[in-house]
Amino acid sequence: MKAYIFDDLEGDQRLPHDSGEQVSVEQLKSIGVLPYPGISLDQVEAIAKERGYKNRDEINVSKEGLGDIYEEKIKGFFREHLHEDEEIRYIKDGRGYFDIREKGDARWIRIAVEPQDLLIVPAGVYHRFTLDSSDFIRALRLFQDEPKWVPHDKSEATDANPFRAQYLQSLKA
């Protein structure tokens, strides 16, 4: 798992877009993002138990896995959005990028994920996701309650979302 500032240059979203400015684990934790690089499924189970994740499913993000809705899903994943639940992903195969807004929302932090990486993205943080140029990732998704994945695209209404407000308050604490 590698984190760095996204270069914001035009071009294929699936390319690394590495500005050369690295982001530390401490910087990620300061915005509520919890990275667990290179861990085993047993370690994932321990984290799931500790954090109260009771349910899970697996997603295959590829042309084969998503079929006719592939292009639509990829575009949707890459729109800036937030969730009202933590987003927890354990990468089983393939590679991709989570882009997370840094404090102040000025720049994107790009987190490159690969097999055996677990990433926890807090509720209320603006983010987006894309595959790398291999166009494939298989991930275990963990949920505290019933599996759901509801994106709230960035807007004035989403800026006022109580989960967004709670997240912003947590940054001040």
Side-chain angles (χ1 to χ4, degrees):
M1 188 178 299
K2 179 181 175 185
Y4 50 88
I5 299 298
F6 183 83
D7 67 15
D8 261 338
L9 298 175
E10 291 292 322
D12 189 340
Q13 70 195 36
R14 300 169 308 148
L15 296 176
H17 287 279
D18 189 343
S19 68
E21 184 179 343
Q22 299 304 302
V23 173
S24 70
V25 169
E26 291 76 28
Q27 286 172 283
L28 292 176
K29 288 181 177 179
S30 77
I31 59 171
V33 174
L34 303 176
Y36 296 88
I39 67 172
S40 70
L41 271 173
D42 287 342
Q43 290 169 302
V44 171
E45 291 303 325
I47 293 166
K49 185 176 180 180
E50 174 186 313
R51 296 183 69 86
Y53 303 143
K54 299 176 200 89
N55 295 303
R56 61 203 64 214
D57 69 8
E58 198 168 291
I59 186 167
N60 175 356
V61 182
S62 66
K63 291 177 184 177
E64 180 182 297
L66 295 174
D68 293 340
I69 63 169
Y70 173 77
E71 293 297 333
E72 176 187 333
K73 283 290 188 189
I74 291 299
K75 287 176 186 170
F77 292 155
F78 200 64
R79 282 194 305 269
E80 186 170 2
H81 63 277
L82 62 80
H83 300 287
E84 294 180 346
D85 296 304
E86 287 183 331
E87 185 164 343
I88 308 96
R89 301 293 180 265
Y90 178 69
I91 309 307
K92 296 181 93 175
D93 197 9
R95 289 173 172 67
Y97 301 107
F98 280 89
D99 294 339
I100 313 287
R101 284 291 185 187
E102 69 175 351
K103 277 187 183 174
D105 292 341
R107 302 183 300 173
W108 287 108
I109 295 171
R110 176 154 274 195
I111 304 167
V113 293
E114 59 187 29
Q116 297 185 317
D117 287 345
L118 174 76
L119 188 65
I120 300 175
V121 177
V125 68
Y126 282 120
H127 66 283
R128 60 190 185 189
F129 172 79
T130 191
L131 300 172
D132 75 355
S133 58
S134 69
D135 283 329
F136 170 76
I137 202 165
R138 188 167 45 96
L140 180 66
R141 303 187 303 178
L142 302 164
F143 304 92
Q144 290 178 335
D145 295 310
E146 290 302 312
K148 66 179 178 177
W149 186 85
V150 179
H152 299 274
D153 288 349
K154 184 172 175 63
S155 68
E156 285 184 27
T158 309
D159 286 343
N161 180 297
F163 290 89
R164 176 71 178 159
Q166 184 177 13
Y167 169 72
L168 292 174
Q169 190 61 37
S170 75
L171 294 178
K172 294 177 185 175

